[in-house]
């Protein structure tokens, strides 16, 4: 289109004049060009609403959009299951604090397939859970279990410091003038040392990193643990301290494993907080005897240190189906727990509900599937020298009221027994004639039984009755060297995805209290469950009152 007059600058620098007869046409053209600009322009360039349209005016670039995700969960005491309030969570610049129920919401976390969240609380060893963070989505990591600190000691940074946990060989020995502050300058003055031992034989989930190892070849593997410790060093200002370059410390890791044998030397692995994987560095030597055995080695920095070895693995192939038999169940998490070794692994099912999960060669493990509040039965798998395939699919309930109860303990007593009393009086326990059923009444089953120490022993409830369930333990071996308290026993209740943990209460008497009633579950007609901690010791089994069998119906 031609115009007799233009809108622009005159040679003299003044505004050019526009002929009166041409003004309506010029205004129409100008309006059309503004419309084009608002719609993205006629040259294919993107629109920039709110910015000046004068090409002579510089346009400030918009700041890049930061897309982050959110991580939620609950922080609990790994020994008692109690909620931990005021736990501090952080990842980069993101931070949060747990509330009175232990719940937290950590916003502003950068997306990553495997990111580490740092969790600290007074009186507890540091937690380092990992999460897969997706932009604009919330990742629920369920429960973060913190282990109480075994001992807090210290001394002056100018002198050698040794801290040893009571009733355990766990210890750390620090060199004189061997610590630095976060900026690399020498640490001076008082040093606080918090030491925590990790027992994977009692609780396989107490270990950060899901036992995944970054191998020297650039791949990943699975490790088997013989125990770990965590050491945290601070100065009076609350700064984190670490070993200076060229300095080393000596650590002792108590042997804690479900394995029947302990290697004379074993590799040491440290948890790499930058990647969320374990990395091998150095080795440790087996020392001591009996319950006092430990692995001793030297380390050049501090985080979690683990006495481990790469696991010689085979794979278990299987599938997950729902109550109707459908196997098209994608992204269901399947997890393993070693029975005669201390390790765990997990995978997600594919679109056909199939999975392939690693376990130790020539060993035993349990498998369970879970999706949110839905649980499957637990099965015991025995592997050989080659891969195995399960004969039946894990059965994931389509209902939302499934409950799982897992019992673990130490090497002794050899035989601990789980007993569940249903509201209608049904008593589920070993032997097989009393183990129950998940497909018919009472929809309760003792899935896995163990008679040689450690466990796990698992009871599953697939359909809830109205009334009160009572769960109790019996020291079937009848030995008290140690008993349930000293072992110690640990009961983990998975109530529709909410984890509660129960440890021994005071009152066990050697020779006379071989029954411990752990908790009761009260179920109403709408399938709401109330958990009541009991913790009562007795010489005879509990005798709860029975009611007429009636199953609840969730709204």
């Amino acid at each position: 289109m031609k115009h007799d007059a233009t809108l622009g600058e005159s040679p003299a620098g003044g505004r050019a004049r526009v002929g009166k007869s041409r003004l309506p046409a010029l205004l129409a053209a100008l309006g059309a060009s503004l419309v084009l600009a608002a719609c993205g322009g006629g040259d294919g360039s993107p629109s920039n609403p709110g910015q000046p349209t004068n090409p002579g005016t510089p346009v400030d670039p918009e700041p890049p959009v930061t897309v982050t995700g959110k991580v939620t969960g609950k922080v609990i005491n790994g020994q008692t299951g109690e909620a931990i309030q005021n736990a501090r969570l952080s990842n980069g610049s993101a931070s949060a604090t747990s509330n009175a129920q232990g719940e937290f919401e950590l916003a502003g976390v950068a997306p990553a397939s495997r990111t580490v969240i740092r969790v600290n609380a007074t009186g507890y060893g540091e937690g380092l859970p990992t999460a897969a963070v997706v932009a604009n989505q919330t990742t629920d990591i369920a429960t973060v279990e913190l282990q109480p600190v075994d001992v807090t000691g210290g001394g002056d940074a100018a002198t050698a410091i040794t801290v040893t946990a009571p009733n355990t060989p766990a210890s750390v020995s620090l060199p004189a003038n061997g610590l630095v502050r976060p900026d690399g300058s020498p640490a001076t003055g008082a040093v606080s040392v918090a030491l925590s031992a990790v027992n994977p034989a009692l609780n396989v989930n107490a270990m950060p990193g899901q036992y995944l190892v970054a191998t020297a070849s650039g791949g990943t593997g699975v490790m088997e643990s013989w125990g770990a410790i965590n050491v945290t060093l601070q100065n009076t200002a609350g700064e984190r301290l670490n070993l200076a370059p060229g300095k080393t410390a000596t650590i002792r890791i108590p042997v804690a494993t479900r394995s029947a044998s302990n290697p004379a030397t074993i590799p040491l692995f440290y948890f790499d907080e930058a990647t969320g994987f374990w990395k091998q560095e150095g080795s440790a030597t087996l020392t001591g005897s009996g319950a006092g055995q430990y692995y001793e080695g030297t380390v050049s920095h501090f985080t979690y240190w683990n006495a481990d070895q790469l696991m010689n693995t085979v794979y278990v192939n299987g599938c997950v189906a729902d109550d109707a038999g459908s196997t098209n169940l994608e992204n269901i998490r399947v997890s393993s727990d070693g029975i005669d070794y201390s390790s765990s692994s997990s995978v997600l099912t594919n679109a056909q509900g199939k999975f392939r999960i690693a376990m130790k060669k020539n060993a035993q493990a349990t498998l369970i599937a879970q999706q949110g509040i839905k649980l499957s039965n637990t099965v015991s798998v025995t592997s050989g020298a080659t891969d195995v395939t399960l004969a039946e699919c894990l059965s994931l309930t389509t209902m939302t009221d499934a409950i799982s109860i897992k019992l673990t303990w130490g090497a002794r007593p050899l035989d601990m027994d789980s007993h569940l009393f249903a509201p209608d009086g049904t008593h589920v326990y070993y032997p097989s004639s009393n183990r129950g059923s998940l497909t018919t009444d009472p929809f309760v089953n003792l899935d896995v039984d163990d008679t040689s120490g450690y466990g796990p022993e698992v009871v599953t409830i697939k359909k809830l009755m109205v009334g009160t369930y009572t769960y109790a333990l019996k020291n079937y071996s009848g030995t008290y060297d140690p008993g349930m308290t000293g072992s110690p026993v640990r009961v983990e209740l998975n109530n529709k995805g909410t984890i509660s943990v129960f440890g021994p209460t005071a009152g066990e008497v050697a020779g006379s209290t071989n029954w411990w009633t752990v908790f009761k579950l009260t179920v109403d007609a709408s399938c709401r469950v109330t958990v009541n901690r009991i913790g009562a010791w007795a010489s005879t089994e509990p005798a709860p009152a029975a009611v007429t069998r009636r199953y609840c119906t969730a709204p």
Side-chain angles (χ1 to χ4, degrees), residues 226-239:
W226 271 259
I229 64 168
N230 176 247
V231 177
T232 303
L233 311 173
Q234 288 185 314
N235 60 15
T236 54
E239 292 179 312

Side-chain angles (χ1 to χ4, degrees), residues 187-423:
T188 59
V191 176
S192 174
V193 182
L195 171 64
S196 303
V198 179
N199 186 341
L202 186 65
N203 178 14
V204 72
N205 296 319
M207 200 78 71
Q210 295 93 40
Y211 298 86
L212 292 177
V213 174
T215 62
S217 62
T220 59
V222 181
M223 67 184 187
E224 176 184 0
S225 179
W226 271 259
I229 64 168
N230 176 247
V231 177
T232 303
L233 311 173
Q234 288 185 314
N235 60 15
T236 54
E239 292 179 312
R240 296 286 293 270
L241 307 178
N242 219 314
L243 288 168
K247 298 291 185 177
T248 61
T250 300
I251 60 171
R252 291 180 176 180
I253 300 174
V255 172
T257 180
R258 297 173 184 170
S259 176
S261 60
N262 304 321
T265 60
I266 196 167
L268 284 174
F269 288 76
Y270 71 90
F271 185 66
D272 185 353
E273 299 174 26
T275 65
F277 290 96
W278 293 88
K279 291 185 177 179
Q280 183 178 346
E281 185 177 295
S283 62
T285 303
L286 182 66
T287 307
S289 61
Q293 285 188 306
Y294 58 89
Y295 282 103
E296 181 173 290
T298 59
V299 299
S300 60
H301 55 92
F302 281 113
T303 176
Y304 276 86
W305 282 96
N306 216 322
D308 302 271
Q309 61 185 19
L310 275 174
M311 196 163 67
N312 195 359
T313 59
V314 292
Y315 288 88
V316 179
N317 300 298
C319 54
V320 178
D322 60 22
D323 292 333
S326 172
T327 59
N328 297 323
L329 303 178
E330 189 174 9
N331 292 327
I332 308 297
R333 183 162 298 280
V334 179
S335 302
S336 71
D337 187 351
I339 293 176
D340 53 3
Y341 65 98
S342 295
S343 185
S344 177
S345 56
S346 67
V347 293
L348 297 175
T349 58
N350 63 16
Q352 291 75 45
K354 295 181 179 180
F355 63 85
R356 178 177 169 83
I357 190 168
M359 69 172 285
K360 187 178 180 179
K361 182 182 292 186
N362 298 313
Q364 288 182 293
T366 62
L367 294 180
I368 186 173
Q370 181 171 358
Q371 183 186 48
I373 62 177
K374 297 181 179 180
L375 299 172
S376 77
N377 58 317
T378 299
V379 299
S380 176
V381 180
T382 299
S383 66
T386 58
D387 295 353
V388 297
T389 299
L390 298 182
E392 297 181 355
C393 293
L394 296 175
S395 178
L396 185 77
T397 179
T398 55
M399 299 175 288
T400 58
D401 53 6
I403 287 175
S404 178
I405 306 166
K406 181 167 73 171
L407 163 67
T408 53
W409 66 98
R412 296 178 66 87
L414 282 177
D415 195 357
M416 292 293 309
D417 277 352
S418 295
H419 292 256
L420 185 69
F421 301 85

Side-chain angles (χ1 to χ4, degrees), residues 49-71:
Q51 294 295 333
T53 57
N54 187 344
T57 303
V59 178
D60 294 331
E62 292 187 3
V65 177
T66 302
V67 181
T68 61
K70 186 183 298 182
V71 178

Side-chain angles (χ1 to χ4, degrees), residues 155-162 173-181 184-191 233 241-249 302:
D156 193 277
T159 63
I161 301 171
T162 296
S173 296
L174 305 171
N177 297 308
L179 302 178
V180 293
R181 299 170 57 209
S185 62
T188 59
V191 176
L233 311 173
L241 307 178
N242 219 314
L243 288 168
K247 298 291 185 177
T248 61
F302 281 113

Side-chain angles (χ1 to χ4, degrees), residues 411-546:
R412 296 178 66 87
L414 282 177
D415 195 357
M416 292 293 309
D417 277 352
S418 295
H419 292 256
L420 185 69
F421 301 85
D424 66 348
T426 302
H427 184 187
V428 175
Y429 66 106
Y430 187 84
S432 57
S433 57
N434 299 302
R435 293 182 70 158
S437 172
L438 293 179
T439 57
T440 61
D441 295 325
F443 294 97
V444 178
N445 192 61
L446 175 61
D447 290 344
V448 181
D449 181 65
D450 187 88
T451 61
S452 58
Y454 298 112
E457 195 159 296
V458 182
V459 176
T460 301
I461 308 173
K462 199 168 187 180
K463 188 175 181 181
L464 290 171
M465 291 184 201
V466 177
T468 300
Y469 291 85
T470 300
Y471 179 79
L473 301 179
K474 182 181 181 180
N475 182 345
Y476 189 82
S477 295
T479 57
Y480 295 85
D481 57 343
M484 286 192 254
T485 302
S487 187
V489 296
R490 180 182 188 272
V491 175
E492 182 177 294
L493 169 67
N494 188 331
N495 174 23
K496 307 179 185 181
T498 299
I499 303 297
S500 300
V501 179
F502 304 82
T505 52
E508 183 180 23
V509 178
S512 62
T513 54
N514 60 338
W515 282 91
W516 182 49
T517 300
V518 185
F519 60 79
K520 293 187 177 184
L521 304 176
T522 302
V523 182
D524 69 11
S526 298
C527 297
R528 290 184 291 261
V529 178
T530 301
V531 181
N532 300 294
R533 293 175 179 266
I534 304 299
W537 296 91
S539 58
T540 58
E541 70 179 51

